[in-house]
Amino acid sequence: MDLVRLENWLDNGAFAVLFVTMLLYWVGTAFKDIPYIWILGTAGMAIANLSIATLLGARWLEAGYFPLSNLYESLFFLTWGITTIHLIAENRSASHLVGVVTAPVAMSITAFATLTLPSSMQQAEPLVPALKSNWLMMHVSVMMLSYAALMVGSLLAIAFLIVTRGQNIQLQGSSVGTGGYRLYKSPTLVVQSEIAVFAASSSTTAVLDKVKTSPILNSQTLSPQRLSLAETLDNISYRVIGLGFPLLTIGIIAGGVWANEAWGSYWSWDPKETWALITWLVFAAYLHARITRSWQGRRPAILAAIGFVVVWICYLGVNILGKGLHSYGWFL
């Protein structure tokens, strides 16, 4: 079997399937009465996941090492992670909204790897001495899975902001957003009479005994469907980020151990290491705000949206544009 030709079929096939899957999810959102469209979307995501897994397996057989040594392989592993997290989140939440944001991102990553990267970066090459270690599978695979989970969770947070139009949705209940929900605007003061005491006399004169001023919330409520959608997005986003953060922690620790084995230092403030720490701090702040300070709604969603940008800088920006031990050296 020609594994190289099989890989070419699979990467192009994965792109085509993800493109059709993206359209299915978007059409299903716009026209909810079309039967079976959500089932087709989920099936498309599963087919893409299986195609990418087969591609990575073929690359493993061809090269003789776990396929995470260059940008092409890591992009497809990231896409496989995103589609896997998508299938888990969709199954656990029974919501098809996840695919509306994950399918276009997975398709875009696949298109970038297949159509944009130079052919020299798509070919399997012998490992450099520093990568000939069992830590390659442990460290890089866990980091890529953490990136996938954090990206999906952040995308759902961005979708939450879009659904709520950036307004302050206060979700009552637990930190995962279960319970009631209401859109709060700025409070205004009104004068409210509390008690009127009537003096019993021959003239029966009414005397106002006490007048109380109290704040009343001038609230504007979104439609029940939009509020329910916002709560679902907030819930799934929190859970997925809660999965990605411990994976990121384990990956950073494993990277430190591998760095000490390969270069004699646990931490060297390489650009990749620095941005990995920044990413960890951003999502640590997100989880701390939700768990300890009970933040829900807009504020943690904005923090997660910032985290989405930081993850991409950590994963791709410093690798392509930066100079360091993790650089691919494409542009610079």
Side-chain angles (χ1 to χ4, degrees):
M1 180 184 295
D2 188 346
L3 294 178
V4 176
R5 180 175 296 180
L6 176 62
E7 292 168 16
N8 292 333
W9 288 345
L10 288 171
D11 61 9
N12 286 282
F15 165 71
V17 170
L18 285 171
F19 179 74
V20 174
T21 301
M22 177 189 70
L23 296 179
L24 288 172
Y25 275 109
W26 286 2
V27 171
T29 303
F31 306 98
K32 297 181 180 180
D33 296 332
I34 300 178
Y36 306 115
I37 194 163
W38 294 118
I39 298 176
L40 292 174
T42 303
M45 193 66 77
I47 292 171
N49 180 274
L50 182 60
S51 299
I52 295 171
T54 306
L55 184 154
L56 294 172
R59 177 61 69 100
W60 196 345
L61 290 175
E62 176 197 355
Y65 56 80
F66 193 70
L68 277 175
S69 64
N70 60 27
L71 182 58
Y72 175 82
E73 295 167 354
S74 71
L75 285 169
F76 271 102
F77 191 89
L78 177 64
T79 308
W80 177 83
I82 290 175
T83 55
T84 300
I85 297 296
H86 160 89
L87 292 171
I88 295 173
E90 188 176 70
N91 179 67
R92 296 286 295 177
S93 65
S95 173
H96 301 288
L97 302 170
V98 184
V100 176
V101 291
T102 57
V105 172
M107 186 273 296
S108 299
I109 295 172
T110 305
F112 177 72
T114 305
L115 306 175
T116 305
L117 287 182
S119 58
S120 59
M121 297 188 68
Q122 299 184 21
Q123 298 174 359
E125 297 179 352
L127 290 176
V128 299
L131 296 180
K132 293 180 179 179
S133 171
N134 292 328
W135 287 105
L136 172 65
M137 181 186 298
M138 172 62 185
H139 166 62
V140 184
S141 62
V142 173
M143 288 296 293
M144 297 305 300
L145 287 175
S146 73
Y147 291 159
L150 294 175
M151 285 180 184
V152 172
S154 299
L155 283 169
L156 294 171
I158 294 171
F160 171 89
L161 293 173
I162 295 173
V163 166
T164 60
R165 304 189 186 102
Q167 300 183 68
N168 188 20
I169 295 290
Q170 181 65 42
L171 301 172
Q172 304 295 336
S174 69
S175 61
V176 297
T178 57
Y181 32 75
R182 189 182 181 92
L183 172 61
Y184 286 95
K185 304 290 284 186
S186 301
T188 58
L189 288 176
V190 300
V191 177
Q192 184 180 34
S193 61
E194 186 180 66
I195 302 174
V197 178
F198 294 90
S201 63
S202 57
S203 61
T204 316
T205 305
V207 180
L208 183 62
D209 180 66
K210 186 177 182 182
V211 176
K212 178 182 178 182
T213 59
S214 61
I216 301 264
L217 287 177
N218 178 19
S219 62
Q220 174 188 353
T221 306
L222 296 175
S223 66
Q225 295 83 1
R226 190 177 287 265
L227 286 169
S228 178
L229 173 58
E231 186 187 30
T232 300
L233 292 171
D234 182 79
N235 190 349
I236 304 173
S237 172
Y238 172 73
R239 292 174 181 271
V240 174
I241 291 176
L243 171 66
F245 182 75
L247 291 174
L248 178 65
T249 305
I250 294 171
I252 291 175
I253 294 173
V257 175
W258 187 15
N260 183 64
E261 179 183 288
W263 302 314
S265 173
Y266 287 99
W267 195 270
S268 59
W269 294 105
D270 180 76
K272 184 79 165 184
E273 296 172 349
T274 303
W275 278 98
L277 177 61
I278 294 172
T279 304
W280 189 91
L281 291 173
V282 169
F283 286 101
Y286 170 90
L287 293 175
H288 173 76
R290 292 208 61 146
I291 297 171
T292 305
R293 304 195 61 180
S294 299
W295 279 17
Q296 297 178 38
R298 181 178 61 183
R299 289 185 295 179
I302 293 174
L303 196 56
I306 294 172
F308 180 75
V309 178
V310 172
V311 169
W312 273 110
I313 294 174
C314 177
Y315 166 60
L316 199 59
V318 297
N319 287 53
I320 294 178
L321 299 176
K323 293 184 178 180
L325 298 172
H326 295 81
S327 176
Y328 292 120
W330 183 17
F331 292 146
L332 297 178

